Amino acid sequence: MLDDHRMTLGASELRARATEQGAELAALAGRASLVSGGPRRLLVWSERWRATVLSTPPTRPPADPELLSGMTAFREIASRADAARMEGRPVPALEREQRRLERQIRSRTLHMRGEAPGGGDRFDVGRLLERLGDEVRLVELAVLDGRVQVLLCGQGRVRRFEAGLLADAETEAEHVQAGLRRLAHPGAEGRLAVVEAAGRRLEELLLGPAAAHLGGGPVVIVPPGRLHRVPWALLPSLRERVLSVSPSAGSWLRARETAPPPDGRHVLVRGPGLATGGAEVPELAGRYACATVLEEDEARVPRVLDELDGAALAHIAAHGTFRADSPLFSSLRMSDGPIVVHDFERLARSPYRIILSCCDTALLASVGADELLGLVTALLPLGTAGVVACSAPVNDAAVVPLMLALHKGLGAGLSLAEALRDARAALPGDALHQATGWAFSAFGAA
């Protein structure tokens, strides 16, 4: 009944928040599985209310003239407010108008109805294990009564290990985030050992004895929503691996089975105001001779969205802003104002692979039972099979060599996760560059 109700809602935000009604049922089923159902049953119930928003694309907003004009006005006001802040001028009136427009846009999107009943694809453990094969391990972290249960999937079976307390892991993850923020600035080398020690403690709390059973192949991490900010590449057992992150095992499966678009278009976007000016974009334009390059006045939201639709690979160098108060207004700054999650949801098909080389683009809001709202989760149901994004502030200059090395790997035929692993290894060994590499994650399976 809850599934049917959830799917009558057109807005992804409402679908996510509606799952809160099933949280108690899911927790009850998880406890029962822990007692008598075995690891496979616990995995099924862990997936039951995890990232359900990603199981089907959101209902696309209609060609509503009032909504479209509201989005245009919102972008103009937001752009004027940014310019005023940079010049030190007061912005209260502009901020009030921006909030009014946001309320108007949100109200219209929340009233959309869903297109189909039912709960989307049903999770199949056998299908997951077949796709993982003998080499890949998927680690799903379930939380029952405040303790992390590690479900290790691979080699045709699911094993369960008990790790630490979720509250302790959240505290340690906040310490790591604070350390990475410090390391984004030169002169903080002394913090590197502190951050690495916190990474070792996080591994004990989140993986426990499972860390010794990961094998030597690629690893997929499926964390609960409250741990989405963990920089997983910092954990010692994951640091030199091919590593990807997924909101759910089901969304990883869908990404794995998503076919790339036939035309193979590449799009490179450079937004305004970057400290390096998006220095990697001109060099990447030289590597991808036929790429569409959008910068300066050409990097306007309508043109950017038009080029992104159905692209094989998109690289966006632009300032990112995460909105914890309203995650679907999280944005990337273009020349005419912000491009927000609501804009991405209008795409017929989002890029097959997308790289976001700016701060905080992987930040997500945890809502409902175990749902995530933000830029990354807006892209995955719309045809994106892989995303590289950042969960912490980073040093713009240090990002450039990481991005160039990442694209070198992609040019050699590697997946995003493989290319990111090699790109981290190619960086200088100083604290600034190491922290930059840890802050980026590969999401999905492409």
Side-chain angles (χ1 to χ4, degrees):
M1 290 173 66
L2 288 168
D3 269 340
D4 288 344
H5 167 65
R6 181 172 56 84
M7 295 307 292
T8 65
L9 304 170
S12 53
E13 179 182 352
L14 284 185
R15 287 186 186 178
R17 295 188 186 280
T19 61
E20 183 63 38
Q21 306 302 319
E24 189 175 355
L25 289 172
L28 181 64
R31 292 188 195 102
S33 300
L34 192 62
V35 171
S36 60
R40 284 198 181 207
R41 180 67 62 81
L42 181 56
L43 176 62
V44 169
W45 278 104
S46 175
E47 284 286 301
R48 187 68 181 81
W49 285 106
R50 182 192 293 260
T52 63
V53 167
L54 307 188
S55 64
T56 55
T59 300
R60 290 184 177 85
D64 180 347
E66 187 172 338
L67 178 60
L68 295 175
S69 65
M71 292 292 292
T72 301
F74 160 76
R75 264 191 287 278
E76 181 183 349
I77 292 296
S79 181
R80 287 169 55 189
D82 282 341
R85 290 188 194 97
M86 293 177 66
E87 295 171 6
R89 293 187 283 111
V91 294
L94 292 171
E95 288 179 340
R96 284 195 299 272
E97 178 63 8
Q98 181 175 330
R99 287 193 294 269
R100 186 191 70 79
L101 290 166
E102 287 177 3
R103 288 193 298 270
Q104 176 183 309
I105 293 165
R106 188 166 178 263
S107 175
R108 296 192 75 83
T109 56
L110 292 183
H111 280 83
M112 293 186 302
R113 292 192 59 81
E115 295 175 350
D121 293 339
R122 289 294 184 207
F123 176 68
D124 184 337
V125 177
R127 183 166 140 236
L128 172 68
L129 294 173
E130 181 182 348
R131 279 291 185 179
L132 290 172
D134 291 333
E135 295 298 320
V136 183
R137 300 289 186 275
L138 184 141
V139 179
E140 179 146 332
L141 304 182
V143 179
L144 288 176
D145 297 324
R147 185 168 291 278
V148 178
Q149 305 291 330
V150 183
L151 299 172
L152 180 60
C153 310
Q155 293 185 309
R157 58 179 175 159
V158 181
R159 290 178 285 172
R160 182 181 70 85
F161 301 86
E162 195 168 90
L165 295 175
L166 175 64
D168 293 342
E170 286 183 290
T171 300
E172 206 62 62
E174 287 301 318
H175 292 160
V176 167
Q177 284 293 324
L180 289 179
R181 283 194 293 271
R182 290 283 302 278
L183 290 173
H185 304 282
E189 290 80 2
R191 300 291 299 174
L192 182 62
V194 176
V195 171
E196 290 183 313
R200 290 190 291 273
R201 291 192 294 272
L202 264 179
E203 179 167 301
E204 294 171 8
L205 291 166
L206 295 177
L207 299 182
H213 299 272
L214 295 177
V219 172
V220 182
I221 297 288
V222 180
R226 289 164 63 182
L227 294 174
H228 74 275
R229 293 192 67 182
V230 171
W232 296 97
L234 174 62
L235 276 57
S237 64
L238 303 177
R239 196 169 295 175
E240 297 179 2
R241 290 180 182 272
V242 175
L243 172 67
S244 58
V245 181
S246 182
S248 70
S251 65
W252 180 83
L253 264 176
R254 286 188 292 276
R256 183 70 182 268
E257 295 169 356
T258 298
D263 63 1
R265 286 188 299 110
H266 289 34
V267 181
L268 307 174
V269 181
R270 180 159 56 159
L274 296 168
T276 64
E280 75 270 21
V281 172
E283 185 159 341
L284 293 177
R287 292 187 189 181
Y288 300 115
C290 297
T292 299
V293 182
L294 303 176
E295 52 192 350
E296 297 179 349
D297 286 344
E298 290 191 327
R300 301 176 69 83
V301 173
R303 175 77 191 282
V304 170
L305 289 172
D306 186 56
E307 295 294 343
L308 291 181
D309 210 326
L313 173 66
H315 179 108
I316 302 179
H319 277 301
T321 301
F322 174 68
R323 288 280 302 276
D325 63 320
S326 189
L328 297 189
F329 281 97
S330 297
S331 63
L332 301 171
R333 191 195 302 172
M334 299 291 111
S335 64
D336 59 339
I339 183 171
V340 299
V341 174
H342 287 296
D343 291 311
F344 284 113
E345 290 188 340
R346 297 185 67 85
L347 296 176
R349 176 173 180 172
S350 56
Y352 178 71
R353 287 174 169 173
I354 185 164
I355 298 166
L356 304 171
S357 66
C358 39
C359 300
D360 294 341
T361 47
L363 293 185
L364 302 162
S366 179
V367 300
D370 201 358
E371 304 292 318
L372 292 167
L373 295 176
L375 283 170
V376 171
T377 53
L379 295 165
L380 293 177
L382 296 174
T384 292
V387 182
V388 168
C390 177
S391 62
V394 286
N395 182 282
D396 283 358
V399 168
V400 174
L402 178 71
M403 291 296 110
L404 294 177
L406 173 67
H407 280 273
K408 180 179 179 181
L410 294 179
L414 301 181
S415 69
L416 283 173
E418 291 167 335
L420 184 57
R421 186 270 314 267
D422 291 355
R424 289 193 193 103
L427 289 174
D430 61 275
L432 181 66
H433 287 88
Q434 292 300 303
T436 302
W438 292 332
F440 281 87
S441 296
F443 297 85

